[in-house]
Amino acid sequence: MFTKLRAHIEKIVPLSDEEFEHISSFFTCKKYKKHQFLIQEGELVTCNYFVIKGLLKLVYTDDTAKEHIVGFAMEDWWETDFQAYYKQTHATMSLECIEDTEVLCLRLEDYRKLCESFPKLEHFFLEKAYMGFISAQQRIISSMTVGIKERYEQLVEKYPSLIQRVPKSLLAAYLGVSRETLSRLSL
């Protein structure tokens, strides 16, 4: 489990065996079944999750009880309700397993200790944040400037394995269209 984390970190910064041994001691391993929640709306968010195996969806539920899929997370991705995590407040979103999932959990206090102790790990997390911001901005611009068909094609091109694993109804919710519309687009 930890070898995947090390490989993930070392895509950005090198680590010695001693450094990684110390870093890994701050993470806990957890396993969840399909449909289990890692985070439920209204709960305090204590962890950021690195996905070792499985697939998650981050969901915002509006006042009419309609679910909006904010994002998906699969192997080698980090996910949480970031606002609630960093501000240590109650979740406004839920994080649910689409498949049986294994994660490494990092508590905020441990994240801060790691960044303080290992400047290169702080650099790693900063690089991950940059990539997340860029991706979020691209998604926002795409949703404002291109049609549904183009957004679906962008999703297929960027994450082909995700398309194979996520049910069409969830992909439709992510794209903000009906299941029927998505079926017409993906023919």
Side-chain angles (χ1 to χ4, degrees):
M1 203 176 247
F2 284 99
T3 56
K4 290 185 179 184
L5 177 64
R6 183 171 186 169
H8 178 72
I9 294 171
E10 288 187 330
K11 288 177 189 172
I12 297 175
V13 295
L15 297 172
S16 70
D17 291 342
E18 296 78 24
E19 287 173 324
F20 185 71
E21 186 175 325
H22 184 70
I23 289 165
S24 64
S25 71
F26 287 87
F27 289 83
T28 55
C29 305
K30 290 194 178 178
K31 294 182 180 185
Y32 296 89
K33 295 286 185 192
K34 183 177 180 176
H35 301 300
Q36 269 190 294
F37 287 89
L38 285 74
I39 299 170
Q40 287 191 286
E41 183 182 342
E43 294 179 346
L44 284 175
V45 176
T46 58
C47 291
N48 188 1
Y49 301 94
F50 176 68
V51 182
I52 298 295
K53 178 182 167 233
L55 184 60
L56 303 166
K57 66 176 180 174
L58 187 64
V59 178
Y60 174 77
T61 305
D62 68 20
D63 293 339
T64 66
K66 181 178 178 186
E67 288 190 349
H68 302 272
I69 305 222
V70 176
F72 298 103
M74 59 185 171
E75 293 84 5
D76 231 23
W77 291 14
W78 294 85
E79 193 62 89
T80 194
D81 177 333
F82 285 103
Q83 177 177 306
Y85 176 70
Y86 286 110
K87 292 186 173 188
Q88 290 294 276
T89 59
H90 296 279
T92 58
M93 296 180 273
S94 298
L95 186 59
E96 181 182 357
C97 297
I98 298 172
E99 300 172 352
D100 289 353
T101 301
E102 296 176 23
V103 294
L104 292 175
C105 311
L106 182 61
R107 298 173 56 80
L108 183 63
E109 64 220 33
D110 291 331
Y111 161 80
R112 289 188 171 137
K113 287 177 191 172
L114 280 171
C115 289
E116 192 175 300
S117 307
F118 294 97
K120 61 180 157 182
L121 203 59
E122 184 174 38
H123 172 74
F124 164 79
F125 283 118
L126 190 56
E127 287 295 318
K128 298 306 290 182
Y130 291 156
M131 294 301 106
F133 294 146
I134 290 167
S135 183
Q137 286 178 342
Q138 289 173 336
R139 182 170 178 215
I140 292 166
I141 290 168
S142 178
S143 71
M144 293 186 310
T145 61
V146 300
I148 299 298
K149 184 173 176 43
E150 293 87 354
R151 289 201 328 256
Y152 176 73
E153 289 168 352
Q154 289 171 352
L155 187 63
V156 169
E157 183 179 326
K158 194 168 184 178
Y159 306 112
S161 65
L162 186 65
I163 301 300
Q164 303 302 316
R165 295 169 66 183
V166 175
K168 294 273 190 213
S169 59
L170 297 181
L171 285 175
Y174 177 76
L175 292 168
V177 299
S178 70
R179 169 77 170 81
E180 294 76 21
T181 299
L182 181 62
S183 292
R184 285 193 302 274
L185 294 175
S186 58
L187 292 176

